[in-house]
Amino acid sequence: MTLPSTTGFVVGIEGPPPAAPSLAMSGQRVTVDIRGGGLHASGWAIQGDPGAAIATASGDGVTVLLAGELHHRGSDDIPEIGDIPEFGDATATLTDAEFLLACWQHYGRAGLRLIQGRFCVVILDAGAVVAATDHAGSIPLYLRVLAGSLEVATEAKALGGASAGRNPGVTAIPGTAPVPGLADVRRVRAGTAVTVVPSSGAKTAMRTWSPPQHREMLAPAKAVARLSDALTAAVCTRLDDGPVTVVLSGGIDSSAVAALTKRHAHGTVTTVSLGTDAGDEFDAARLVAEHLGTTHHELRVGSEQVIRALPWAVAAAEMVDAEVLEYLLPLVVLYQQLPGGPRRILTGYGADIPLGGMHRDTDMVGSLDDVIAHDMATFDGLNEMSPVIGGTAGHWTTHPFWDRSVLDLLVRLEPGLKRREGIDKWVLRAAVADLLPEQTVRRPKLGIHEGSGTTSTWTAMLKAEGLPDERVAAAKRAMVEAIHRRVNCEGEPPALVDVDEVLRDAIAADRVVAT
Ligand code: IOT
Ligand code: MG
């Protein structure tokens, strides 16, 4: 099995090396020193030798530092590539960092619009530092500009610490957004490349992707065929020769991924389903696993144990949206509970965003498209797809529905293809109908937070302490904000946060406000 050699890093440019990242959330830390580049970097990796170099490439005075993986496999992807000298004859043997370097050398900054993958990158070229995310910002990237120097990291908490909040000029970085509670740290937006020249202070930004605003009318059969092709390619590019795991609820999204994985994987395909004492989707998942012939596991955990994973979920996603955390919590626990070593994991996460799957109650197709447009305009910064969510448990996760080509296609489809004949996510169901049991293809959506009882358990824990219904949402938010402050802003290890205490504090604070 091959996993990305680097899934996260912290790097200091033209200054003292940044403090060792005491909160590197995943795997082990490796350190590199790149001579002459004015660069000090520590990276974290899921597997490999402790002394292994992080994913870098250098040439002609350009240095590239990459986290994650690219989805260019050999020269087939870019037909003209054989004619481009930087790529040579050996395209197929280039590492991802070398591929990105070659792309940069040939196309310059515009090359970042070509790159597909689940990655972020820092490039040093002639005194300029470029920090870029993939189209979805699926590996978050943060900046801290200091006098004459710059720090970049894949986790905001790695840039927090003593001097945080003392850099008033920092808001003026184009292409970035603030991070709650960390005044001088900025997050690079999704699909954006930010260029900073530390010596002059110049800062510019370029978009590499943005969600399509227009929609296309396509004959249903054509839309189905295109989605089938795009999703198959997205799954295939995420497989290697080794074993692969799919986290399976038995809903249409993860079942589609499992089916395509089973069809195209070279190694063993394992599926895993999580349940709690408050609920499970075991029957639905087992039906799919048996149909496909995967090696299937069911894991049952205590529902309150899921809520007590909040510090890990908040530390991984570094945001304060309690609703989205209810989707991430069961996954965090599932990743922690998986037996064996590091895994390559495919998920069905994110399908509901471009397909409008979370909006079962929206009747008009026009309104469905409005909520899809809204969700596509607001995903950035929620960090739902951050590799740290699986990385805290040592796994590499990847999400085929948010592959750039799949996402581009899904967003653009007119909403009547997403809700058709009263069926939600119609185009996806039709695209995988031949691969799955009929019952699975027809199965209505059940969110992970519902199926696992996560939402109801968290609510019940608050109400058991006497909190009235109408204050539940605010109390969940207060809990999340308190945990974020501690683990991401103040650097407290998630293991030290007592969730029951945080819960009681949130209720006590609510009583003060209420009286
Ligand atoms: P849901 O779609 O139920 O779950 C997301 C993924 O988690 C599934 O595709 C599956 O791979 C995995 N999963 C879910 N339940 C289980 C389980 N019991 N055992 C194992 N794996 C499981 C929320 C949601 O309903 O999750 N996610 C939506 C919406 C995100 C909203 N964000 C936004 N608007 N920015 C999604 O699109 O995935
Ligand atoms: Mg889903």
Side-chain angles (χ1 to χ4, degrees):
M1 183 175 55
T2 50
L3 297 175
S5 57
T6 310
T7 57
F9 52 69
V10 55
V11 42
I13 297 135
E14 300 296 350
S22 57
L23 278 162
M25 292 299 296
S26 61
Q28 64 223 8
R29 181 152 47 88
V30 290
T31 309
V32 291
D33 258 309
I34 294 164
R35 269 169 292 144
L39 173 97
H40 301 268
S42 294
W44 32 109
I46 282 168
Q47 61 174 15
D49 309 326
I54 59 177
T56 59
S58 301
D60 291 340
V62 182
T63 299
V64 163
L65 189 75
L66 183 84
E69 63 188 8
L70 304 186
H71 298 151
H72 302 274
R73 292 282 185 270
S75 52
D76 291 354
D77 267 6
I78 305 180
E80 319 79 67
I81 216 162
D83 305 331
I84 298 174
E86 286 84 353
F87 292 91
D89 303 325
T91 318
T93 62
L94 293 181
T95 65
D96 284 348
E98 289 164 347
F99 184 92
L100 204 143
L101 174 67
C103 211
W104 176 268
Q105 287 173 328
H106 187 73
Y107 295 98
R109 197 173 73 148
L112 292 171
R113 298 197 184 101
L114 290 171
I115 300 290
Q116 296 215 49
R118 170 156 168 71
F119 72 98
C120 65
V121 64
V122 175
I123 301 160
L124 278 83
D125 188 354
V129 182
V130 180
T133 53
D134 67 26
H135 65 289
S138 81
I139 300 190
L141 194 59
Y142 299 89
L143 300 177
R144 188 154 79 124
V145 178
L146 305 158
S149 72
L150 174 69
E151 294 175 356
V152 191
T154 53
E155 287 172 45
K157 65 179 79 62
L159 303 182
S163 59
R166 291 192 204 144
N167 197 15
V170 80
T171 47
I173 307 180
T176 68
V179 180
L182 285 171
D184 62 352
V185 177
R186 302 286 297 182
R187 181 179 54 79
V188 178
R189 289 186 182 280
T192 301
V194 175
T195 304
V196 179
V197 183
S199 59
S200 70
K203 303 176 191 83
T204 56
M206 175 188 91
R207 285 309 290 265
T208 55
W209 187 80
S210 49
Q213 303 295 311
H214 69 287
R215 305 293 184 251
E216 264 179 56
M217 307 265 242
L218 276 186
K222 200 177 233 177
V224 167
R226 284 198 195 165
L227 177 56
S228 170
D229 288 350
L231 194 58
T232 301
V235 167
C236 287
T237 195
R238 283 166 174 75
L239 300 174
D240 59 12
D241 292 334
V244 59
T245 299
V246 180
V247 282
L248 180 67
S249 65
I252 194 65
D253 309 340
S254 56
S255 299
V257 170
L260 292 169
T261 300
K262 180 63 187 162
R263 175 165 283 205
H264 297 283
H266 306 289
T268 319
V269 178
T270 302
T271 46
V272 197
S273 187
L274 181 88
T276 71
D277 52 276
D280 67 66
E281 299 177 67
F282 284 168
D283 291 346
R286 197 182 314 119
L287 178 71
V288 173
E290 281 172 3
H291 183 88
L292 299 175
T294 58
T295 305
H296 187 63
H297 299 290
E298 292 170 357
L299 283 171
R300 193 183 296 281
V301 299
S303 55
E304 295 196 356
Q305 183 188 342
V306 174
I307 309 306
R308 294 197 181 97
L310 260 173
W312 294 98
V314 172
E318 303 198 294
M319 56 76 176
V320 291
D321 188 308
E323 227 168 275
V324 170
L325 283 160
E326 288 181 352
Y327 313 148
L328 302 182
L329 275 169
L331 291 171
V332 166
V333 174
L334 176 54
Y335 297 143
Q336 286 174 346
Q337 298 287 321
L338 285 176
R343 292 172 187 247
R344 172 174 286 272
I345 298 175
L346 270 59
T347 85
Y349 201 97
D352 294 303
I353 303 171
L355 284 164
M358 300 301 282
H359 304 283
R360 288 168 293 203
D361 306 329
T362 311
D363 332 315
M364 272 185 64
V365 283
S367 318
L368 181 67
D369 198 48
D370 286 340
V371 292
I372 291 169
H374 176 264
D375 284 352
M376 287 307 301
T378 54
F379 75 84
D380 189 22
L382 293 174
N383 297 346
E384 296 156 274
M385 289 161 215
S386 168
V388 186
I389 293 158
T392 57
H395 309 296
W396 171 247
T397 52
T398 180
H399 317 292
F401 281 102
W402 271 58
D403 179 271
R404 194 177 74 183
S405 301
V406 174
L407 190 60
D408 260 333
L409 173 66
L410 283 179
V411 173
R412 275 187 288 119
L413 292 180
E414 63 99 356
L417 292 162
K418 302 176 187 180
R419 166 123 8 110
R420 192 172 160 81
E421 297 151 7
I423 300 168
D424 67 342
K425 300 194 262 192
W426 178 87
V427 66
L428 172 61
R429 295 177 192 276
V432 294
D434 293 345
L435 307 176
L436 291 167
E438 200 196 329
Q439 201 180 325
T440 306
V441 175
R442 282 191 280 108
R443 186 177 181 234
K445 160 108 200 139
L446 186 70
I448 186 170
H449 55 303
E450 301 164 315
S452 61
T454 298
T455 300
S456 56
T457 300
W458 194 358
T459 299
M461 286 167 79
L462 286 160
K463 289 174 71 174
E465 297 286 326
L467 192 78
D469 274 326
E470 67 275 15
R471 303 293 303 159
V472 166
K476 286 181 178 176
R477 199 164 49 241
M479 284 177 68
V480 167
E481 281 168 2
I483 295 171
H484 170 70
R485 199 163 47 246
R486 288 170 64 177
V487 300
N488 297 328
C489 304
E490 291 161 13
E492 190 174 340
L496 298 187
V497 177
D498 178 344
V499 172
D500 296 278
E501 191 183 298
V502 171
L503 185 143
R504 285 191 298 273
D505 287 350
I507 288 176
D510 180 80
R511 291 221 175 89
V512 173
V513 174
T515 52

